[in-house]
Amino acid sequence: MNDMSGGPALDECPADSSFRFTGSWREFLPIALTNFALTVVTLGFYRFWAKARERRYLWSRTHFIDDAFEWTGTGKEMFLGFLIVAAVLMPVILFVNFGFQAMVLRGQAALAGAILLTLYVGFFYLYHVAKFRALRYRLSRTWWHGIRGGSDAPGWDYGWKGLWKSAAGWAVFGFLVPWSMTQLWNDRWNRMSFGGHPFKADAHENGLMRRWLLLYLVPVLSLVILSMALAAVAVSLGTDLEDGTVESSAIIVSVVVGSFTVYGLVLLFGLSFYTLFFRQVAAATSVGGLSFVFTARTRDWLKLVLGNIGLVIATLGVGLLFLSYRNWAFVVRHMEASGVVDLDLLTQSTARAPTDAEGLADAFDFGAV
Amino acid sequence: MHEAWLYDGASAVRHRVTLEAAGPALGIRGAPDPELCLGRDELVHVESRADAELYGRRSVPGWRLGVPRPVPDEIAALLPARQVYGRWIDRIGLGKALAAGAVASAAILFLGHKAPALLAPLVPYSWEQSFGDALVGDLGGKFCAGTGGQAALDAMVAKLTPDPARYKVRVVNVPIVNAVALPGGNIVIFRELLAEADGPDEVAGVLGHEIAHIDNRDVTRAMIREYGFGLLLASVGGTTGGNVDMLASASYSREAESKADEDSIAALRRANVSPRPTAGFFARLARHEKGLDGWDGALGYVSSHPLSEGRRRRFEESAEAGRVYAPSLTEEQWAALADICHNDSNR
C-alpha cells in the first residue's frame, strides 16, 4: 500500500495493470445462491436487493490502480424506481392489451392506430431517456477513493437525440446505424463526469462501416442462397415427394440446419461488429487525463458467449446465476487505461445524485453501456 | 493501535491513520483531522473486501475508513455490525428469513388463489352497476331494437327468474355466437347466437346460465382474479379502463361453469321449459367447432364456455320423461326476438 498522504501524482501506470478483477467464483457462489433463494421465497421482491449485493461484490473486486471501486446503490432505491416506472407504464400496457382491440372493434381503428403510434414513439423516447439515466445512475453510485461520478443532465434532451438519430440511422436501409450508435455514445458520455472531471467522447463511425455491411448482408445473402438450394432440392425430389414423407423430412432437416447456420453467422458477424464498436468508442473516451483501451477481440467475445451458453447447459441452468459475474469480469479484464491520475485534483463530484435509480432501464431490460 | 486508511470524501487523496479505543468511541489519529472521535452510531458498515472491512460516516458522503483484517477485538467492539443481505434479513438471520419468506409467499399465493371468491361478495353492488353500465354504454349504437324483440326478451327473463328487475338483457348487433354476463346485472347476447338457435328454449338455457353467473357473482370474481381490484376501482372512478372484450375473455373456473349450468337447469324446471333444446344447441355448436372451417372466430361461446359431452348430457338428462313442457316464448314473441336485429328501425 503506497503512502499517498502527501498527495503526489501517481506515476503513469503500465497499461495492462490499471484495471484488475480480483474476484473468484468461490466467493461469488454463496452470494449468487443466497440471492436466488431469497428472491424465490419473496416472490421476486428481493431481486432489487440481490442486484445491489451482486454489484457491491463485483465493484469491490474491481481494482483500478491502487484501490477497488465501491458500489453504493441500494435495493430500496431500485425498488422505488421500479414502482415509479410500473405506475407510468401500466396504463400504456393496459391500452395496448385491451383498449386498442376494443376501439378497433368499435370501428375507431384510425384513432386507435394514432394513439398506438404515439405510444410507440413515446416508448422509444423513454427507452433512450432510460439508457441515459441508467448510465448516470451507475456512475453516481460508483465510488473510487471516496469520489463518485454522475451527471447534472436529466436526460430528457438526450431522449430526443436518441429518437431522431436512431430514426436517421435506420432510415436509409439501416446504413447509418454505426453513425447513430457512435453519435449517441458521445452524446451520453459527454454529459457524464467523475469527481470534478468531465468525460470526453469523440467516437467516429469511420472504420465501422465494413463490418456493419457484412452483418447486414449475412441474413439477406443466406436467405437467397438457402431458398435457391431449397428450390433445387425440391425440383430434384419433386416426383418422389408425392409418394412418401421421407424426403419432406429431409427438407425440414435441411431448413433447420440452414436456419441455425444463419443464426450462427449473424451471431459471429454481430460480435465482430460490436467488438470493433467497443474498441473504437472506448479509445475515443477519456476523463481527467485518462484514456481507455478495450482489448477484447472477436474471438474473446465468442469465447465468452459460447462459454456462457455451455455453462448454462452443462449446469442445467444453475450457471445463469453466474452470467453477470462472467460478463463483468470479461469487461474488466479487457479494460485498460493510460495516463495520469492526479489525486489532489480529483475532488468530489458536485453533480446531483439522482434518486430515481434504474427503474426505467430495468423496465426496458438493458445494461448501462 | 491499528493501522487503517481514510478518504475524507472531498478529495481522492488517501490518508494513513491509526485507530484506537477512546472510551466508548473510536479514535482516529492522522490526516486530515489530527484527532477524530466517532461513536458507533455515526459509522456505517459499507462492505467486506478481501483484505479489509470498509466503513462510511453517515454525515459525510464518500468518507471511507478501511480497516485491514484481522480487526483487533477492542477496535471491532467500536465498529457497527456488518451488513450482508440487507437490514431486515441481517437482523433476523438468513435461515429464519428464508423460512419466514417461504411461509409468507406460500400464504400470499394461497390467498391470491382464494381472494376472488372471498372478496367478490364484498364489492358493493352499486360499484358493479356503474362499471357494468359504462361497459354496456361502450357498445353504444349497436343495440338491436327491432319491434317487439326487447319485450319478448324481457318476457323470457321474467320466466326464468323471480326478480327480473335485477337484470338488463340486451342484444347487440355483433356477428359472433356468444352471450356474456357483465357486472351490475348486465347480460349481452350477440346477434349470431339468436341466428344459430332453433327456438326460444335454446336461448332460454343459455340465458339461464348467464343469469346464474350474475347471481353467483362469478363476474366480479373473474374480474378480481384476472385484472385485480385496482382496475375495478379505477373504472368506478369514471374512466372506462375495462371493456367488454376483456370481460368476454375472462374465463370462469370449472366449478363456476358447472354451478351456472346447475342453476340454469333449475331455472328451466321452475319455468317449465324443456332443457332438451339447450342440449341440442350445445351439440350443434360442438359439431360446428370440430367440422366447419371459418367458424372458429365466430364461435365466441365455445371459447368462453368450453363445450363438453358432459355438459350436453347434463341438460339432456335433466329432462323429466312424461312431463309436459311449455315453450318459453310464444311463436310471435320468438319471431320478434329472432328478428330483433333485422327489422331494426334504428339501423
Side-chain angles (χ1 to χ4, degrees), chain B residues 116 217-227 247 250-252:
Chain B
R217 308 213 73 175
D218 292 335
V219 187
T220 316
R221 226 185 280 186
M223 257 174 22
I224 295 174
R225 190 177 60 237
E226 306 224 343
Y227 305 106
L247 281 169
S251 55
Y252 304 127

Side-chain angles (χ1 to χ4, degrees), chain B residues 246-281:
Chain B
M246 118 195 162
L247 281 169
S249 68
S251 55
Y252 304 127
S253 67
R254 188 187 292 261
E255 294 79 34
E257 288 295 342
S258 177
K259 177 80 168 65
D261 275 349
E262 190 186 315
D263 293 355
S264 176
I265 286 168
L268 291 176
R269 185 178 300 133
R270 275 197 309 275
N272 197 32
V273 172
S274 170
R276 283 196 194 93
T278 308
F281 181 65

Side-chain angles (χ1 to χ4, degrees), chain A residues 73-112:
Chain A
T74 63
K76 190 170 145 194
E77 67 194 8
M78 280 197 265
F79 175 60
L80 290 177
F82 164 81
L83 286 185
I84 293 168
V85 170
V88 171
L89 288 187
M90 194 48 84
V92 177
I93 290 167
L94 281 180
F95 177 81
V96 171
N97 281 348
F98 305 116
F100 178 71
Q101 196 190 359
M103 286 180 76
V104 170
L105 270 182
R106 283 164 185 71
Q108 292 168 311
L111 182 61

Side-chain angles (χ1 to χ4, degrees), chain A residues 1-7 22 27 30 34-35 37-38 40-43 46 49 53 56-57 59-61 63 66-72 76 94 98-99 101-103 105-107 143-147 342-344 346-348, chain B residues 5 7-16 31 46-51 54 61-64 68 83-87 89 94 97-102 104-106 108-109 135 138-139 142 174 227 231 241 243-246 249:
Chain A
M1 238 164 280
N2 300 331
D3 184 1
M4 272 161 242
S5 48
T22 59
E27 273 183 330
T34 50
N35 272 348
L38 284 165
V40 167
V41 302
T42 54
L43 304 173
Y46 188 74
W49 284 264
R53 257 185 92 207
R56 213 153 44 229
Y57 174 77
W59 263 239
S60 75
R61 298 302 185 266
H63 271 258
D66 66 331
D67 205 351
F69 282 103
E70 185 196 327
W71 175 261
T72 61
K76 190 170 145 194
L94 281 180
F98 305 116
Q101 196 190 359
M103 286 180 76
L105 270 182
R106 283 164 185 71
W143 298 71
W144 182 78
H145 276 237
I147 303 295
D342 188 328
L343 294 175
D344 278 331
L346 181 54
T347 51
Q348 190 57 279
Chain B
W5 75 85
Y7 297 119
D8 63 5
S11 92
V13 176
R14 172 189 280 225
H15 303 282
R16 237 178 205 200
V46 173
E47 65 186 31
S48 298
R49 297 212 178 151
D51 54 352
L54 204 61
W63 189 95
R64 289 291 179 265
Q83 285 190 30
V84 186
Y85 302 103
R87 207 183 308 154
I89 298 168
L94 178 65
L98 281 174
S105 45
I108 287 170
L109 288 178
L135 289 179
D138 270 5
L139 290 168
K142 298 217 170 193
V174 172
Y227 305 106
L231 192 62
N243 52 69
V244 179
D245 316 272
M246 118 195 162
S249 68

Side-chain angles (χ1 to χ4, degrees), chain A residues 8-321:
Chain A
L10 281 178
D11 291 338
E12 187 140 340
C13 298
D16 56 1
S17 69
S18 52
F19 283 101
R20 272 182 306 132
F21 184 68
T22 59
S24 81
W25 70 268
R26 283 181 199 82
E27 273 183 330
F28 188 72
L29 183 68
I31 295 176
L33 287 181
T34 50
N35 272 348
F36 178 68
L38 284 165
T39 304
V40 167
V41 302
T42 54
L43 304 173
F45 259 84
Y46 188 74
R47 73 190 164 93
F48 306 99
W49 284 264
K51 206 179 233 177
R53 257 185 92 207
E54 183 181 295
R55 286 208 189 136
R56 213 153 44 229
Y57 174 77
L58 293 176
W59 263 239
S60 75
R61 298 302 185 266
T62 302
H63 271 258
F64 180 61
I65 305 178
D66 66 331
D67 205 351
F69 282 103
E70 185 196 327
W71 175 261
T72 61
T74 63
K76 190 170 145 194
E77 67 194 8
M78 280 197 265
F79 175 60
L80 290 177
F82 164 81
L83 286 185
I84 293 168
V85 170
V88 171
L89 288 187
M90 194 48 84
V92 177
I93 290 167
L94 281 180
F95 177 81
V96 171
N97 281 348
F98 305 116
F100 178 71
Q101 196 190 359
M103 286 180 76
V104 170
L105 270 182
R106 283 164 185 71
Q108 292 168 311
L111 182 61
I115 294 178
L116 199 63
L117 187 70
T118 313
L119 287 178
Y120 272 126
V121 172
F123 208 68
F124 278 112
Y125 171 74
L126 283 181
Y127 168 89
H128 290 291
V129 173
K131 200 163 178 175
F132 184 91
R133 290 196 161 215
L135 180 59
R136 179 179 81 148
Y137 172 70
R138 285 198 184 192
L139 276 170
S140 74
R141 297 300 187 270
T142 298
W143 298 71
W144 182 78
H145 276 237
I147 303 295
R148 68 172 169 85
S151 170
D152 273 325
W156 302 119
D157 59 334
Y158 176 83
W160 293 117
K161 280 183 195 163
L163 205 57
W164 81 258
K165 285 183 181 174
S166 302
W170 285 105
V172 193
F173 301 106
F175 283 134
L176 292 176
V177 165
W179 169 83
S180 69
M181 284 174 70
T182 46
Q183 282 283 306
L184 289 173
W185 173 278
N186 296 343
D187 289 337
R188 277 197 303 279
W189 282 95
N190 281 327
R191 305 300 296 270
M192 302 293 158
S193 58
F194 200 90
H197 300 302
F199 278 91
K200 290 192 183 70
D202 56 350
H204 205 274
E205 75 277 10
N206 282 357
L208 285 172
M209 284 312 289
R210 210 163 52 93
R211 292 204 192 182
W212 175 251
L213 286 181
L214 271 178
L215 169 62
Y216 190 84
L217 288 176
V218 166
V220 179
L221 286 181
S222 316
L223 272 184
V224 171
I225 293 170
L226 206 67
S227 43
M228 275 163 57
L230 268 182
V233 171
V235 167
S236 68
L237 293 176
T239 45
D240 305 336
L241 262 181
E242 285 154 19
D243 305 332
T245 54
V246 184
E247 289 78 6
S248 65
S249 69
I251 288 188
I252 291 171
V253 167
S254 56
V255 167
V256 169
V257 170
S259 322
F260 270 100
T261 313
V262 175
Y263 275 124
L265 285 174
V266 169
L267 176 71
L268 195 64
F269 283 95
L271 282 180
S272 121
F273 172 73
Y274 273 100
T275 301
L276 195 60
F277 173 77
F278 278 120
R279 292 172 70 89
Q280 289 203 184
V281 292
T285 306
S286 64
V287 59
L290 277 180
S291 52
F292 300 95
V293 178
F294 194 64
T295 59
R297 299 252 161 216
T298 305
R299 71 166 178 280
D300 301 320
W301 280 100
L302 195 63
K303 271 202 297 211
L304 173 74
V305 171
L306 294 180
N308 281 351
I309 295 173
L311 179 70
V312 171
I313 294 174
T315 57
L316 302 175
V318 178
L320 279 172
L321 300 174

